[in-house]
Amino acid sequence: MNLIVKIVEPLKAFLLEVGELSYFTGNFFKEVFKPPYEFKEFLRQCYYIGNRSLVLVGVTGFIIGLVFTLQSRPTLEEFGAASWIPSMVSVSIIREIGPIITALICAGRIGSGIGAELGSMRVTEQIDAMEVSGTNPFKYLVVTRILATTFMLPILIFFGDAIAIYGSYLVESMKGDVSFVLYSNQVINILEFSDVLPATFKSFFFGFAIGLVGCFKGYNCKKGTVGVGQAANAAVVYTSMLLFIIDFVAVFVTNIFYDL
């Protein structure tokens, strides 16, 4: 009997969480098309999310490019395929490594920040005060943040990919004496729309997931200061899991189209 309870209770809690998140998502799509539109707050969140994450994404992308090239070069040199490094690195970063690593970095940086910010507002009853004053806190706080993460993450991923490829070029220029023009030509020649479009398309879903889970956890934060920490932590954990699921589905669907 105790074993059944131990299995049923977590399953019940999980299903309740999924149901609440689905209802929260439905409210977002209902409110996003209804006026008034909080355009100034949306722009402020875009600046906060994009500009303040730019350095972290850039440094991460630069290190990815350096490490990936340094690790790959010795193996490729053994097979006499060192000339394929620009093509291999660019395709790997654009298709998979760049989007998922940048999204995970942003999940920790942006998702936890949104969860803690909205959670503290819920604990200090600022959201309740907005409801009493006649303001729609869901549209002002939630819709703007989800839209900002959805539109800014693809830009951050593009920036991180470019920095990662440049970091790869620096390694090649030191190890293989490759010019920037030659390296750039190899990168451009190997990339196709079938590489760039799926990665760009799924990056919008990555951004939506980061904003949605962060807002959901923060907006429904439990009372007390402990709840703020739990909301921030849960936002990062849940978002990371959701990102891997979205990435798997995106790669699976893309491969189906490749096989057609």
Side-chain angles (χ1 to χ4, degrees):
M1 186 66 180
N2 291 332
L3 180 61
I4 297 176
V5 172
K6 290 181 180 179
I7 296 175
V8 171
E9 287 299 324
L11 181 61
K12 180 181 178 182
F14 172 75
L15 293 176
L16 286 173
E17 192 86 3
V18 171
E20 292 174 357
L21 182 60
S22 301
Y23 181 75
F24 192 84
T25 306
N27 280 343
F28 165 78
F29 284 110
K30 183 176 69 174
E31 293 289 342
V32 71
F33 298 109
K34 290 171 57 178
Y37 305 108
E38 303 289 348
F39 191 66
K40 289 181 64 176
E41 177 64 14
F42 166 70
L43 292 179
R44 191 180 76 85
Q45 289 301 322
C46 286
Y47 172 79
Y48 178 81
I49 291 169
N51 184 64
R52 297 191 178 184
S53 303
L54 207 58
V55 175
L56 179 61
V57 170
V59 172
T60 303
F62 185 71
I63 294 174
I64 289 173
L66 291 177
V67 172
F68 190 38
T69 306
L70 285 171
Q71 292 285 355
S72 304
R73 186 175 178 80
T75 303
L76 292 176
E77 282 182 332
E78 291 181 4
F79 295 95
S83 61
W84 283 92
I85 289 178
S87 303
M88 183 199 69
V89 170
S90 60
V91 171
S92 301
I93 289 175
I94 295 295
R95 276 191 179 185
E96 188 61 32
I97 297 176
I100 192 63
I101 295 297
T102 304
L104 289 172
I105 293 295
C106 291
R109 165 69 178 81
I110 299 170
S112 62
I114 292 176
E117 182 183 13
L118 295 187
S120 62
M121 293 181 71
R122 173 64 73 182
V123 169
T124 56
E125 299 182 350
Q126 295 180 49
I127 295 178
D128 298 332
M130 293 177 68
E131 292 175 347
V132 171
S133 64
T135 306
N136 186 348
F138 191 92
K139 177 177 282 292
Y140 185 81
L141 299 175
V142 174
V143 173
T144 54
R145 282 165 173 79
I146 295 177
L147 288 178
T149 55
T150 303
F151 287 105
M152 291 307 299
L153 195 70
I155 299 175
L156 291 172
I157 289 175
F158 176 81
F159 177 77
D161 290 349
I163 295 295
I165 293 174
Y166 181 74
S168 175
Y169 155 72
L170 290 181
V171 174
E172 278 297 284
S173 65
M174 291 185 292
K175 295 283 187 178
D177 194 21
V178 178
S179 67
F180 182 75
V181 175
L182 176 60
Y183 192 93
S184 301
N185 288 336
Q186 287 185 307
V187 170
I188 294 172
N189 290 335
I190 195 64
L191 290 175
E192 299 177 355
F193 282 109
S194 59
D195 300 318
V196 178
L197 289 180
T200 304
F201 189 67
K202 70 181 180 181
S203 65
F204 284 99
F205 286 93
F206 287 165
F208 179 77
I210 292 171
L212 179 69
V213 177
C215 290
F216 170 71
K217 284 297 179 182
Y219 198 79
N220 297 308
C221 175
K222 297 179 181 178
K223 297 295 183 181
T225 54
V226 177
V228 178
Q230 290 176 345
N233 181 65
V236 176
V237 174
Y238 283 33
T239 302
S240 300
M241 294 173 57
L242 192 56
L243 288 176
F244 285 119
I245 295 173
I246 294 172
D247 189 48
F248 169 76
V249 173
V251 172
F252 182 78
V253 172
T254 303
N255 288 336
I256 291 176
F257 281 105
Y258 283 152
D259 294 336
L260 293 178

